[in-house]
Amino acid sequence: MAWFLGLGIAGIVLLALSLVLDGLLDGALDGAPGGSLDGWLSLPVLAGFLSMTGFGAVIAQAATGAGPVGATAAGTSAGLVTAWLTYRFSRALMRDRTAAAPTGNDLIGVSGKVVTAIPADGFGEVILHVAGQPVKFAARCVAPVARGAQVWVEAAPSATSVLVRPADP
């Protein structure tokens, strides 16, 4: 039983190391035929396999009184299932993509409200709703625009500034 506990604890230590040594073994088997082993040799998958093999064997011995061979078989089965689940879960996380970040081109045509008056020769501030969130931008306009006026974005020369025109001429 001590060997199995040691194996389970070694898996937990390997899992802790995977946080520090992220990606160390990833890609080690990229030369496998057809890429059939890609992702299987990663620290989280190996740690899950080792931990469940050890702890599964301990549980099998304690619960059923199985000998070392039976406990090893039960632990290996639990380890393989855990490794497969870890692999599938990590692949699902890797495929999860977020929406693209908004760019300056996404701002063109957006309406906003002036929060700091825009003088004819300087900058004011506008609030625009970008990806559903209110964001404050520095704004310029060819004509002065009063605070509270509605404006439309004509261009976004930088990540924090926009060129606007009044919504009502």
Side-chain angles (χ1 to χ4, degrees):
M1 186 178 290
W3 283 97
F4 295 134
L5 282 175
L7 191 61
I9 291 169
I12 297 292
V13 169
L14 188 60
L15 185 59
L17 285 175
S18 73
L19 296 174
V20 177
L21 305 174
D22 185 37
L24 178 71
L25 296 177
D26 289 344
L29 296 177
D30 284 347
S36 60
L37 296 176
D38 289 348
W40 282 102
L41 187 60
S42 66
L43 286 177
V45 171
L46 290 176
F49 174 74
L50 286 177
S51 294
M52 279 310 293
T53 299
F55 294 137
V58 168
I59 292 169
Q61 263 188 332
T64 65
V69 174
T72 302
T76 302
S77 298
L80 287 172
V81 168
T82 302
W84 181 80
L85 288 172
T86 304
Y87 171 76
R88 297 295 297 169
F89 185 64
S90 66
R91 291 298 135 221
L93 289 176
M94 295 299 286
R95 283 191 308 269
D96 187 26
R97 300 287 181 219
T98 60
T103 64
N105 290 335
D106 296 328
L107 294 175
I108 297 172
V110 172
S111 66
K113 187 174 185 177
V114 177
V115 292
T116 303
I118 304 171
D121 60 347
F123 283 95
E125 293 177 321
V126 296
I127 293 284
L128 304 174
H129 288 277
V130 180
Q133 299 296 318
V135 182
K136 189 185 293 187
F137 288 89
R140 290 188 75 131
C141 187
V142 294
V145 182
R147 181 177 186 265
Q150 289 292 116
V151 292
W152 291 95
V153 176
E154 291 185 327
S158 74
T160 58
S161 68
V162 292
L163 299 173
V164 297
R165 67 175 169 80
D168 295 326

